[in-house]
Every structure is written in C-alpha cells, then in structure tokens.
Amino acid sequence: MNGTADEPFEELIERSSLGAPGARQLRQRTPQPKTDELRRIQEQRAGRYVGLSAEQRLADRRERLLATAYILFAKPGFHATTIERICSEARISNRAFYECFGGREELLQALYERVVNDTLTQVTKAMEEASAPEDQFVDGITRYIEFTIADWRRPRIMHVEAAQTSSIGEARRQALRRFAEVFHRVVTNLPGGRSRDPYLYALGVHGVLHELICEWLEAEKSPSTEVLVGTVVNIFLGGARTAR
C-alpha cells in the first residue's frame, strides 16, 4: 500500500490495491484500531519530531534509512531488498523515502561511501601513528582488514553488494582512487624501489585485499586476521617481512 504512515485506517484501506469490493471484505475481517489507540500512535510518531526543524527531521529519516540499509543490504542483499521492506523496517512512509533518496541505488551509494570513508579514516590514522614506511604499510593493511571484518556487514557492503551493482560503478572507482592515494604516499617511500608506478602498485594492493576479504566471507572456515595480513605483506613486501 502507498500513503503516509499516519493515514487513518479507513482511508488507507480504501486506497489499497484490493479495490472497493476487496477493501470492504478486508474491513469486515480486520479489527480496526480504536480511536484513542489511533490517536496514541499518531501522537507517539509526532512526538519523535517535536522541536526539530524540517532539516533535522529529514536528517533523522536519512539516518534511519541508512541504518536499515546497512542491515538489509548485507543480508538478504541489495537485489533482494525492496524499498517497501526498507520503509517498513525503518518505520517511515514510501513518500518520506523519496524525500531522502532517489531510489535504492542512491541509498546504496550513500551507504557505501560512508563505509568506505570510515574505513579509510581508520587506515590513515594507523599509518600516521607509524614512522618507517614499511611499518606504515603493514599497519595500514592490518587496520584495513581488522576494521573491515570486525562487522561482517561492512565487507558485504563494500566488497560484495557494491561490486555487484553496476549503477554505482563511478562511486566505486572514486573509492578505489581514494584507497590508492592513501597508500601511494607510503609506497613511494618504500625502500628498494619496489614499483616504477606507486599508484598502480597501490591499486594492486587493493585488488589482493578485495579477493582475500571475499574469501574470508565465503570460506567454510574463514582465515584469521594474521593469515590475511601476512599474505598481503608477503606479496607486496616480500617473504622476509612478516605481519605482526
């Protein structure tokens, strides 16, 4: 059914896709809320926004939609989740959804960009706390993996659902460039001239991380953080250097 979340029961049932005959039958079988109960529900909903500006109410709805999408887009997944289910779980109307986002893809992109931003913030902080370039590299990889897999929904959004949705391809390319730029500064200073093109080297790091994290998600027995970090370090710094 469409209609606002606060629409009276009688009007909502008449607007349903059942049509007038079906609506009459449903009305006969369905106990209707009492007037005082309807008033209580409507006052409770209205109370959530008492004292908030229109911008604040919009921001609150956006946050509830993002929080709901974080759960549903991870499982059952983006393609298996309808706008109707998102609105139901977030407890907002379909109309309110479209005041916040143009569609599911736009919601996924906003969620993806937020998760990526949180992850890269953690990686940058870890690198800044280290001194030697090799330590910065190892600590950055370690923080990326630890933070990403700390909540299984995070890698599902970043490395599975977003990767399978072509409509947000540009957002993924932007995120990949941001990742490469973060590691580019470290790779440039690694001893031994490991790469003629540090930017491509950093892109290769992300590619390996992507495949390892997908394996972590899908494997019957997920590899440990130490194994994941050690694999990346051995590939890009050589077997003489091990993860800590």
Side-chain angles (χ1 to χ4, degrees), residues 74-143:
K75 186 178 182 180
F78 172 76
H79 295 287
T81 301
T82 63
I83 288 177
E84 287 73 20
R85 182 172 181 184
I86 295 169
C87 292
S88 175
E89 296 288 341
R91 297 183 182 278
I92 69 169
S93 67
N94 285 19
R95 183 183 69 182
F97 176 95
Y98 287 105
E99 291 173 353
C100 300
F101 298 101
R104 285 187 314 147
E105 291 80 4
E106 189 174 316
L107 174 57
L108 175 62
Q109 179 172 328
L111 177 62
Y112 172 73
E113 290 173 346
R114 174 173 293 188
V115 173
V116 168
N117 185 64
D118 290 345
T119 303
L120 291 182
T121 297
Q122 290 289 321
V123 171
T124 301
K125 182 179 178 181
M127 288 180 165
E128 290 174 347
E129 293 172 351
S131 53
E134 288 193 1
D135 291 336
Q136 292 175 337
F137 183 89
V138 174
D139 290 356
I141 294 297
T142 302
R143 186 67 61 85

Side-chain angles (χ1 to χ4, degrees), residues 2-220:
N2 294 321
T4 66
D6 296 330
E7 190 172 3
F9 183 84
E10 287 289 335
E11 295 180 19
L12 186 62
I13 200 170
E14 289 291 350
R15 285 162 52 87
S16 74
S17 60
L18 295 173
R24 284 195 295 271
Q25 294 177 11
L26 182 59
R27 185 183 296 107
Q28 293 170 357
R29 298 197 306 267
T30 306
Q32 300 181 38
K34 297 179 180 178
T35 302
D36 57 348
E37 179 66 10
L38 277 173
R39 185 180 296 111
R40 184 191 67 78
I41 294 171
Q42 292 173 353
E43 288 175 350
Q44 184 181 48
R45 288 170 174 164
R48 179 188 297 133
Y49 296 120
V50 170
L52 297 182
S53 66
E55 292 77 10
Q56 289 171 324
R57 291 196 295 271
L58 183 64
D60 175 81
R61 294 187 182 109
R62 279 182 60 90
E63 287 303 311
R64 283 191 284 141
L65 286 169
L66 285 165
T68 302
Y70 184 65
I71 297 169
L72 295 179
F73 286 174
K75 186 178 182 180
F78 172 76
H79 295 287
T81 301
T82 63
I83 288 177
E84 287 73 20
R85 182 172 181 184
I86 295 169
C87 292
S88 175
E89 296 288 341
R91 297 183 182 278
I92 69 169
S93 67
N94 285 19
R95 183 183 69 182
F97 176 95
Y98 287 105
E99 291 173 353
C100 300
F101 298 101
R104 285 187 314 147
E105 291 80 4
E106 189 174 316
L107 174 57
L108 175 62
Q109 179 172 328
L111 177 62
Y112 172 73
E113 290 173 346
R114 174 173 293 188
V115 173
V116 168
N117 185 64
D118 290 345
T119 303
L120 291 182
T121 297
Q122 290 289 321
V123 171
T124 301
K125 182 179 178 181
M127 288 180 165
E128 290 174 347
E129 293 172 351
S131 53
E134 288 193 1
D135 291 336
Q136 292 175 337
F137 183 89
V138 174
D139 290 356
I141 294 297
T142 302
R143 186 67 61 85
Y144 185 96
I145 292 175
E146 288 179 343
F147 183 74
T148 299
I149 68 176
D151 182 342
W152 67 272
R153 293 169 294 190
R154 191 176 292 123
R156 285 289 307 180
I157 298 297
M158 280 202 301
H159 290 278
V160 178
E161 299 302 323
Q164 295 176 353
T165 307
S166 59
S167 59
I168 68 165
E170 180 57 31
R172 291 190 64 241
R173 286 187 288 273
Q174 290 287 349
L176 183 55
R177 284 192 282 270
R178 287 184 60 200
F179 176 93
E181 287 166 1
V182 168
F183 275 90
H184 178 277
R185 296 190 294 270
V186 173
V187 171
T188 301
N189 296 319
L190 286 175
R194 285 183 169 83
S195 175
R196 294 182 179 180
D197 191 328
Y199 185 80
L200 292 180
Y201 188 95
L203 289 179
V205 172
H206 183 275
V208 171
L209 280 171
H210 173 76
E211 294 301 330
L212 290 175
I213 288 174
C214 287
E215 175 65 16
W216 180 87
L217 282 167
E218 303 298 335
E220 185 174 340

